[in-house]
Amino acid sequence: MAIVARTQAQLVRRRFFRHRLAMASLVVFMAVLLLSFSATGIGPIPGWWKHDYTTVATVVDGGRPTLSVVPTFLGGDGVHLGEHPFGQDNKGIDYFALTMRGTQISVMIAFIVGTLGSFIGVLIGAAAGFFRGWTETILMRFTDIIIIMPLLAICAVIANQAGNAGPFWLAVVISLFTWTGLARIVRGEFLSLREKEFVEAARAAGTPAWRIIRKHILPNTLGVILVSATLSLAGAVILETSLSFLGFGVKPPDTSLGRLISDYQSAFVTRPWLFIWPGVFIVTIALTVNFIGDGLRDAFDPRQNKVRS
């Protein structure tokens, strides 16, 4: 029986691709991204959907959705989108276009928070875990101060002003308060790895500290960082939704999924589709990202036995 040698990256990739729930979630998540960004377009690039999320029109049939998914042979109206598949809001704006725009903004905020927050967390955690001493004391006490702050309240106060400047600055503000968990994890990993023989050998050879971090220690913590960064995306979606629902997030004329739920929460009984569709996309994004993070965690953990290599 032939034995094939595989690198660590190949083993991780193989385990991840064999994780059925993670792969199914990845397909659904990519489909949501493709649908939202292609439907209404990106910046100057137009989308394929005929209605715009800012165009006011006449409300038809009380703004009811025209989407039909029941075939005629089952007694339905057939499978078709219709003129307004998700219905219309109070102003007659196409709700499908609004939901796609809201999904775009929520996903963009989540990616910015995941990237910037992870960078800050890795930077602080790596410095604290490697240099120890006063560096660790100052950075970890600063981290503790950020942790004990009521996250939603602090973000609401600051994000209320940042939201007026646009979704990008709102994401930056959220990032400044969501890095603490990753910083503590990275610090713990660095405290363990800095005592290993290969790090001691690099020190003895006169290798600069930041080169040791970048070339020798950081690659060994990449799995933890990727998993934490992925899971932080789901947390960012929920946090942005909460802020926008309370009126402290994305400001008009732009919108987000949380903003849509906030604007039409009173219509839950009379026109539930205005509340349900943004909720469906929030739940879908949060669940799929969490499942992808679980798949990455299992793929990077050599002790796991859920998926064979």
Side-chain angles (χ1 to χ4, degrees):
M1 182 176 179
I3 299 177
V4 180
R6 296 188 179 93
T7 65
Q8 181 63 25
Q10 289 174 327
L11 290 174
V12 169
R13 186 166 57 247
R14 185 181 178 88
R15 283 196 290 261
F16 180 70
F17 286 153
R18 290 191 174 190
H19 197 292
R20 296 179 180 177
L21 185 57
M23 292 307 300
S25 299
L26 182 62
V27 170
V28 173
F29 182 64
M30 295 304 297
V32 170
L33 292 184
L34 181 62
L35 176 65
S36 61
F37 282 90
S38 66
T40 56
I42 308 173
I45 304 176
W48 52 265
W49 186 239
K50 53 188 173 182
H51 296 294
D52 186 73
Y53 69 94
T54 60
T55 303
V56 178
T58 303
V59 178
V60 180
D61 191 25
R64 296 182 180 278
T66 59
L67 175 66
S68 176
V69 295
V70 181
T72 54
F73 64 86
L74 293 177
D77 297 329
V79 179
H80 58 82
L81 291 177
E83 187 68 18
H84 302 288
F86 288 4
Q88 294 174 283
D89 70 352
N90 302 332
K91 302 176 182 178
I93 299 176
D94 180 69
Y95 207 61
F96 177 79
L98 265 178
T99 304
M100 293 301 101
R101 177 60 178 177
T103 303
Q104 282 187 21
I105 296 299
S106 295
V107 168
M108 286 191 292
I109 290 176
F111 271 103
I112 294 173
V113 171
T115 303
L116 184 56
S118 298
F119 175 78
I120 297 173
V122 170
L123 188 64
I124 291 179
F130 185 83
F131 293 108
R132 302 292 303 275
W134 283 105
T135 302
E136 180 185 21
T137 301
I138 294 173
L139 291 178
M140 286 299 100
R141 296 301 75 78
F142 174 67
T143 302
D144 292 338
I145 292 173
I146 299 297
I147 289 176
I148 64 175
M149 290 181 178
L151 178 61
L152 188 60
I154 296 297
C155 284
V157 172
I158 302 178
N160 188 38
Q161 300 299 322
N164 294 322
F168 173 80
W169 293 108
L170 174 64
V172 170
V173 169
I174 296 176
S175 303
L176 297 178
F177 296 93
T178 56
W179 52 266
T180 53
L182 180 57
R184 294 173 71 92
I185 293 174
V186 171
R187 169 183 169 268
E189 293 290 323
F190 268 67
L191 286 175
S192 174
L193 291 171
R194 73 188 298 272
E195 306 299 333
K196 299 295 184 181
E197 291 80 3
F198 64 90
V199 176
E200 293 293 339
R203 282 203 196 97
T207 307
W210 286 107
R211 183 174 177 82
I212 294 176
I213 293 175
R214 184 168 57 90
K215 290 290 187 179
H216 299 285
I217 302 183
L218 197 58
N220 288 284
T221 62
L222 188 60
V224 174
I225 294 170
L226 285 177
V227 172
S228 298
T230 302
L231 295 177
S232 69
L233 295 180
V237 170
I238 301 300
L239 181 57
E240 183 277 325
T241 299
S242 303
L243 291 172
S244 296
F245 180 78
L246 296 173
F248 298 117
V250 177
K251 305 294 184 182
D254 221 327
T255 189
S256 70
L257 294 176
R259 183 82 198 181
L260 290 176
I261 289 181
S262 176
D263 290 343
Y264 302 109
Q265 57 180 312
S266 60
F268 181 72
V269 177
T270 57
R271 291 180 295 168
W273 58 87
L274 297 178
F275 188 90
I276 291 175
W277 284 117
V280 167
F281 278 86
I282 290 172
V283 172
T284 300
I285 293 171
L287 283 180
T288 53
V289 171
N290 270 308
F291 289 144
I292 293 170
D294 288 342
L296 286 173
R297 181 195 59 201
D298 293 341
F300 276 102
D301 187 0
R303 297 166 296 181
Q304 66 86 31
N305 55 11
K306 293 181 181 179
V307 185
R308 295 180 60 87
S309 299

